Amino acid sequence: MAPDLDDIRAARDVIADVVKRTPVISSLTLSGDIGGNVVLKAENLQRTGSFKIRGATNKVASLGDVAVRGVTTGSAGNHAQALAFAAQHFGVPCEIFVPVGAAITKIDACRALGATVVEHGAALAEAVAAAKERANATGMTFCAPFDDPSVVAGQGTLGLEVIEDIDDLACVIVPLGGGGLISGAAIAVKSMRPDVRVIGVQAAVCAPYAGGTPADGPVLTLADGIAVKYPGELTGPLVERWVDDVVTVDEDAIADAMVLLMDRAKLYVEGAGAVGVAALLSSAVRPSPNGSTCVVLSGGNVDLGVVPSLIRRHENSSGRRLSVVARIDDRPGSLAHLLAVFADGGADLIEVQHVREGLELHVRETGIHATFAVRSIDQATALIVAARSAGYEIRPSTW
Amino acid sequence: MAPDLDDIRAARDVIADVVKRTPVISSLTLSGDIGGNVVLKAENLQRTGSFKIRGATNKVASLGDVAVRGVTTGSAGNHAQALAFAAQHFGVPCEIFVPVGAAITKIDACRALGATVVEHGAALAEAVAAAKERANATGMTFCAPFDDPSVVAGQGTLGLEVIEDIDDLACVIVPLGGGGLISGAAIAVKSMRPDVRVIGVQAAVCAPYAGGTPADGPVLTLADGIAVKYPGELTGPLVERWVDDVVTVDEDAIADAMVLLMDRAKLYVEGAGAVGVAALLSSAVRPSPNGSTCVVLSGGNVDLGVVPSLIRRHENSSGRRLSVVARIDDRPGSLAHLLAVFADGGADLIEVQHVREGLELHVRETGIHATFAVRSIDQATALIVAARSAGYEIRPSTW
């Protein structure tokens, strides 16, 4: 059942017309931040925004005549878009089952690719069950997101590309959810170059391959694309056999990695796609001392609405932004004088609000919540000191 | 004085060790939005985050023995980082003059590359003058950002790459500020393929090449990287001779293009780098009906702080976010009831505030400013209708 290098090479020929060979991008600044020679496999630039198109295309192609009856799956994520794209390419019907209330952007993306989207059930499991029922009732083929040899072989084509495109490849770091991408890539890489290390990265809140016990209920993580609670029947043993190590990263590291990838590498990468960089930043993985460490950026389908929060968080933690809570006398000029202290210290006011509830205030006092753009943590600290020297009771609200 | 194709080819050899050959990326979704086959020259992925490294490296290399005395310039932007990088590569001293209060991120980037950064003067012109004085006094070479044949030849190497990498190239769209990039690229492209159209794009608020008269004082634009008020002595006539057409785009189109590039193409592109996509989106340029239209994304050095505002703006205009101002009775349950109307309509509450000033309110009334996440403009409209049917005086605050 498990695919081998020949299957992966065959998959490459099958999917060549659909799948891009995504660029490998070197980043001096990122390498400098991390230490070691780090290169990025920019699979976020792949068609449909993720590697999933590789496996989905190989799967649909493998169906032969059965494909005309159509394909279906339960997914609200990258697999859904990938399957819709592959089905459209081969001209076969596609039905995608998503939980009620799934992100409209994902639904729109599938519909734009010609798929029928059915909202069903409160959780993903119910949508998956509905897709399987639909397949049984109609003769459509249910296409699993990772636990399928054709899918694993398709994802493995990424492994061929990194071997061929990076001369001094020493280590490949791969996001690990269900395990389809990493097992395919590891089979390709290790079969050709057993000396190259392959490391999987999971989100700490959902890390079954790293020995974590999944919590009940929905998982809250920036890396929702890899929030899979149990190893696959096929992929579990493959990861066991082919992958050198599995590590985990926390949500702060993922958030830092996403912002760093935007700011330094100019790439827009989803949380699941950024865990490899997060692992390097948090020293969960050390880059190879000799040769290149390749980080697979597996996808770029970020909900735009998440980005402002990520950037605000980064601005606070990196000393670009300072929020304070202060207590001032309820007298003319009190706020003006406080703001003048900050202006003299070179801070640009972004926002100021009076806070009259929730603080223990004298009736002649007022609370102030103010946010400034600043240039460094040192400057922020100096501003607090200056305001205290000027007689204000003040504290940063975000440290 | 003006460089020709041979100079550009020679520049390519000179800069080969420093400059990346950036990828050309096809985007089906972007092509679908725009119509025609659109490909992106992702020069935002270039070293130092912009094309400027091409010209700066060729310039420093051209100095020969004089280079050891050092190089200097006045710039708070991409040229400064590029010159610092090139100087570091060749092991020569570099001094960058920036206006007082220049963005700390840019200053830090230059310092990280080994340059000395001097803050001088209130405006860029004063920093430039100081750099020239410094050059006269010390024997350092003042390196102009665009009006220099070695710089133009260096930038022209991008033209060689698009010709070679895009088989069916029909049109190249290039951001136009000082004119260094577009004149170099146009000389390369037109010398090899006179049939390929080369179009320049300027920000409407600063468009001297499109016949605009520059306003006095600082220019406020998202495309600050191309906010150059006068054509260069060298580049002005080159643009006149080699470029087919120059168009302009407004700030809304630039903002839309930046968000679209993130959301669809997964690329982080600065305002000046996004004007080509803005020109296509706003129909200032039509894509070629046959063959590929290449849009040069000239740089990716966005100030992170700008991005949240861009995304908020996009969410409002695309129906993902609805802000309303409403008037409610000052009675228990009034706000709860209003919010229930929105919840029933499927809107997720993001933020709610009482507004008691600035509205003409009865003493028993309160103003409410509320923001919701919604799924479409249709849903937003239906929510307003439902709230009015329920008896509320309410209006969108952002339409």
Side-chain angles (χ1 to χ4, degrees), chain B residues 61-326:
Chain B
S62 77
L63 296 177
D65 292 346
V66 176
V68 297
R69 292 193 224 157
V71 292
T72 183
T73 197
S75 163
N78 291 338
H79 175 58
Q81 285 182 60
L83 187 65
F85 192 101
Q88 187 179 53
H89 175 79
F90 291 110
V92 305
C94 178
E95 291 187 19
I96 305 289
F97 288 77
V98 302
V100 173
I104 190 80
T105 47
K106 311 263 179 180
I107 292 175
D108 285 350
C110 292
R111 287 192 176 138
L113 294 166
T116 302
V117 178
V118 183
E119 293 190 58
H120 181 92
L124 184 60
E126 294 167 57
V128 170
K132 287 179 174 169
E133 273 174 40
R134 177 77 177 151
N136 284 335
T138 60
M140 298 179 100
T141 301
F142 175 82
C143 297
F146 54 85
D147 222 15
D148 180 308
S150 297
V151 172
V152 171
Q155 319 301 29
T157 59
L158 182 141
L160 301 178
E161 294 175 16
V162 297
I163 285 282
E164 291 165 0
D165 290 346
I166 307 167
D167 292 337
D168 64 345
L169 184 67
C171 176
V172 187
I173 305 176
V174 187
L176 172 46
L181 175 60
I182 199 170
S183 32
I187 292 167
V189 167
K190 291 281 192 182
S191 298
M192 296 169 76
R193 290 274 309 277
D195 58 305
V196 174
R197 290 167 68 221
V198 177
I199 312 287
V201 185
Q202 299 214 285
V205 293
C206 187
Y209 282 100
T213 306
D216 288 339
V219 176
L220 186 66
T221 172
L222 283 167
D224 49 338
I226 52 170
V228 177
K229 290 188 181 180
Y230 301 98
E233 285 181 36
L234 170 67
T235 53
L238 289 177
V239 170
E240 183 71 31
R241 173 171 171 201
W242 292 98
V243 174
D244 292 285
D245 199 6
V246 176
V247 302
T248 67
V249 291
D250 66 22
E251 298 297 305
D252 280 342
I254 298 170
D256 286 341
M258 291 174 77
V259 174
L260 195 76
L261 282 164
M262 274 195 279
D263 194 31
R264 299 293 181 91
K266 316 303 176 190
L267 292 169
Y268 193 66
V269 179
E270 62 185 78
V275 294
V277 170
L280 287 168
L281 287 176
S282 62
S283 301
V285 178
R286 305 265 172 200
S288 292
N290 302 306
S292 289
T293 297
C294 173
V295 186
V296 178
L297 310 177
S298 54
N301 293 325
V302 190
D303 179 2
L304 275 177
V306 173
V307 176
S309 308
L310 290 175
I311 290 178
R312 292 300 177 228
R313 178 190 167 283
H314 173 81
E315 289 182 313
N316 284 318
S317 66
S318 64
R320 302 281 181 237
R321 197 176 161 94
L322 169 66
S323 281
V324 298
V325 177

Side-chain angles (χ1 to χ4, degrees), chain A residues 319-361:
Chain A
R320 301 283 180 236
R321 195 177 163 95
L322 170 66
S323 281
V324 298
V325 176
R327 190 187 288 265
I328 62 173
D329 291 343
D330 223 350
R331 283 190 302 219
S334 280
L335 179 58
H337 184 240
L338 174 64
L339 297 180
V341 171
F342 279 84
D344 289 348
D348 285 339
L349 180 63
I350 295 171
E351 197 170 61
V352 64
Q353 279 183 311
H354 286 78
V355 183
R356 293 205 170 84
E357 320 292 334
L359 294 174
E360 287 194 13
L361 295 166

Side-chain angles (χ1 to χ4, degrees), chain A residues 20 25-26 28 44-45 47 85 102 104 262 265-266 268 300-301 305 307-308 311-312 315 320 353 375, chain B residues 20 25-26 28 44-45 47 85 102 104 262 265-266 268 300-301 305 307-308 311-312 315 320 353 375:
Chain A
K20 289 188 201 175
I25 297 170
S26 62
L28 287 183
N44 61 320
L45 305 179
R47 274 204 200 317
F85 192 99
I104 191 80
M262 273 194 281
K266 317 303 177 191
Y268 192 66
N301 292 324
V307 175
I311 291 178
R312 291 301 177 227
E315 289 182 313
R320 301 283 180 236
Q353 279 183 311
R375 301 176 83 182
Chain B
K20 289 188 203 177
I25 296 170
S26 61
L28 286 184
N44 61 319
L45 306 179
R47 274 203 200 320
F85 192 101
I104 190 80
M262 274 195 279
K266 316 303 176 190
Y268 193 66
N301 293 325
V307 176
I311 290 178
R312 292 300 177 228
E315 289 182 313
R320 302 281 181 237
Q353 280 183 312
R375 301 175 83 182

Side-chain angles (χ1 to χ4, degrees), chain A residues 200-225:
Chain A
V201 185
Q202 299 214 284
V205 293
C206 187
Y209 283 100
T213 306
D216 288 338
V219 176
L220 186 66
T221 173
L222 282 167
D224 51 338

